[in-house]
Amino acid sequence: MRPTNVSRVRAVVLVSGLALAAAAGAHHSPAAFDTSKEVRLEGKLTKYAYNNPHTYLTLEVVGAGGATVEQQVEAGPISNMQPLGLMRDSLQVGEHVVVRANPSRRGPGYTVLGLDVTRADGKVFPLFITSASARSASTAVATTLAGVWRPTLSSFMALNAAIPAWPLTAEGRQKLADTRRANRTTQSDCVPAGAPMLMVYPVVSTVKVGATQVVFDIDWLDAQRVVHLGAAHPANLEPSLQGHSIGRWDGSALVVDTIGFAPHEEGLGFGMASSERKHLVERFALADDRRHLVYDVTIDDAAYLTQSVRYSARWEYSPDLTPSGVACDLEVARQYLREAEPRP
C-alpha cells in the first residue's frame, strides 16, 4: 500500500562520510555512530535479515573477555544495497565473514554501522550507501525517458550539502535545525521524504511513459508519482503526499508542474520541511550521451523559502537493475529506535 498521509515523526536518510556526518544519517542521527573510527569484526554469520528499510547482519565474535558474543551490524536497505551489488544470496548464514564498521558511540555490545563485508573467498560487498560498488555500471544507452534509472550518489550528496545554503525563512532555518538534531524521522514510519530528495535518492526508479500519463515508480518506501499529460490541476485539490502533477512534452523532454502537497516534516528532504504552498517545476531530459538523464527542479515554498530555488541532478540509465519489490517493514524501520532506548 502506498502511504497517503504524513507522519509527525521526522525523517532521515542513509548517508555517510565525513562531509555528511553532521547532517544526515539512516533512520536516526549519524551521531549514534562514531564515523571517525572503524572496527573490524570477524566471525560466523548467524543471521542475515535482508530487508527494507534496513538490512541486519548478526555475527558470532570473540568478545573482550574471550567469550563468544553476538554482534549486530546495521546495513543499508535492499533498495540501496542491491544496485551496489549486495544481493539476497551474496551471503550465507554459517559462513565466515569480516565486517568493516563504524562503532556505536554507546560502547561495546551495541549495534554498529556496517561499511562493507568480506567473504572467505575475498569477495567484498557494500553495506552502506557510500560504500564501493561491487557492480559494474551499465554501458547501455537510452532512446527515451522510459526505462530503469538510478540517480547518482554525487547528486544525492550534493543536495544534502546545498539545502542549508538555500534562502530559508526564519521558520525554515528553525525547522531544519530542529529536524537535523532529531533522532527519528518520517522514514521510521515508512513515509518517504518528498521531492526533490525523493527524485535524487540513489535507488532504482522506473519510468513508464503512456499516452495520458507518465508514472515514476521509486524503489524507496513504496513511493510513486503520477504525471497527468495534457491536463490541468483540478479545482478544490485534496492535498497529498506527492501532490498533483501535470506534464507536457518539450521536444523529448518532460516538463512537470506539481502543486497540492500536504505539509510534510521532510517535504524537501534532508531535514527540510515543506508546507501546503510547495510548488515544483521539474524537467526530465536525456543527456547528450544517452546514458544519463538530467533532472532540473525549481522549488517554491513561501513558508520556508524566501525565493525560488533551483537544483540539478543526473540519473544513470540502468536497465540491468530491477526494483527490490520489498515493501518497507515498519518493525524493521523502528528496530534501531527500540535499541537506542537506555538499557535497564
Side-chain angles (χ1 to χ4, degrees):
M1 178 181 295
R2 305 211 180 264
T4 56
N5 50 23
V6 179
S7 163
R8 297 295 299 171
V9 183
R10 291 189 283 272
V12 263
V13 136
L14 287 169
V15 184
S16 179
L18 295 178
L20 299 180
H27 296 349
H28 43 80
S29 168
F33 305 105
D34 188 346
T35 56
S36 70
K37 297 179 181 178
E38 288 186 9
V39 293
R40 182 179 182 274
L41 304 169
E42 184 170 358
K44 183 173 72 173
L45 183 66
T46 59
K47 296 178 184 177
Y48 178 36
Y50 194 63
N51 291 314
N52 278 326
H54 283 296
T55 292
Y56 282 95
L57 285 66
T58 303
L59 276 64
E60 277 189 358
V61 300
V62 177
T68 299
V69 297
E70 286 197 332
Q71 174 65 59
Q72 182 163 265
V73 179
E74 180 186 294
I78 302 174
S79 298
N80 285 153
M81 296 300 97
Q82 185 172 280
L84 293 176
L86 179 69
M87 311 301 286
R88 190 178 299 276
D89 60 358
S90 296
L91 301 172
Q92 301 295 325
V93 169
E95 70 179 314
H96 188 89
V97 298
V98 176
V99 170
R100 190 169 60 92
N102 294 139
S104 170
R105 290 188 183 276
R106 305 186 72 189
Y110 286 88
T111 299
V112 299
L113 183 64
L115 301 175
D116 56 47
V117 56
T118 304
R119 295 189 314 209
D121 63 3
K123 181 72 172 179
V124 181
F125 293 95
L127 294 179
F128 210 60
I129 193 171
T130 55
S131 302
S133 178
R135 162 188 165 266
S136 298
S138 172
T139 58
V141 295
T143 56
T144 71
L145 297 184
V148 178
W149 301 85
R150 179 175 176 265
T152 65
L153 177 62
S154 58
S155 293
F156 178 67
M157 295 170 69
L159 176 64
N160 174 64
I163 287 176
W166 284 359
L168 304 177
T169 63
E171 186 178 359
R173 287 194 298 273
Q174 188 62 54
K175 280 277 193 181
L176 181 62
D178 290 346
T179 305
R180 288 198 168 185
R181 279 196 299 266
N183 195 47
R184 300 207 317 171
T185 76
T186 58
Q187 294 182 75
S188 297
D189 273 357
C190 291
V191 177
M197 178 177 157
L198 178 64
M199 305 309 290
V200 299
Y201 203 84
V203 296
V204 174
S205 293
T206 305
V207 183
K208 302 171 184 175
V209 178
T212 60
Q213 63 183 29
V214 176
V215 178
F216 293 85
D217 282 317
I218 301 160
D219 190 27
W220 183 238
L221 305 179
D222 301 314
Q224 183 185 75
R225 294 185 61 196
V226 178
V227 179
H228 304 276
L229 299 175
H233 295 300
N236 303 316
L237 191 59
E238 183 71 23
S240 62
L241 184 66
Q242 303 300 346
H244 184 271
S245 298
I246 57 175
R248 62 178 176 83
W249 293 105
D250 179 14
S252 61
L254 176 66
V255 179
V256 179
D257 183 281
T258 308
I259 61 172
F261 291 99
H264 188 339
E265 290 298 316
E266 278 208 311
L268 300 182
F270 289 109
M272 190 62 243
S274 66
S275 75
E276 70 282 352
R277 302 168 74 180
K278 175 179 171 180
H279 177 202
L280 301 181
V281 177
E282 300 160 293
R283 181 182 175 88
F284 300 82
L286 287 180
D288 291 341
D289 66 3
R290 300 277 169 166
R291 293 181 55 209
H292 293 86
L293 178 153
V294 179
Y295 171 70
D296 285 302
V297 58
T298 299
I299 308 148
D300 285 285
D301 189 333
Y304 301 127
L305 297 170
T306 61
Q307 64 187 60
S308 299
V309 171
R310 183 178 176 185
Y311 186 74
S312 183
R314 289 169 73 84
W315 297 8
E316 297 174 342
Y317 186 50
S318 306
D320 59 310
L321 296 180
T322 57
S324 69
V326 178
C328 180
D329 186 316
L330 191 58
E331 287 300 306
V332 173
R334 294 176 176 175
Q335 182 170 334
Y336 178 87
L337 302 178
R338 292 193 300 272
E339 293 162 356
E341 295 296 325
R343 291 185 176 180

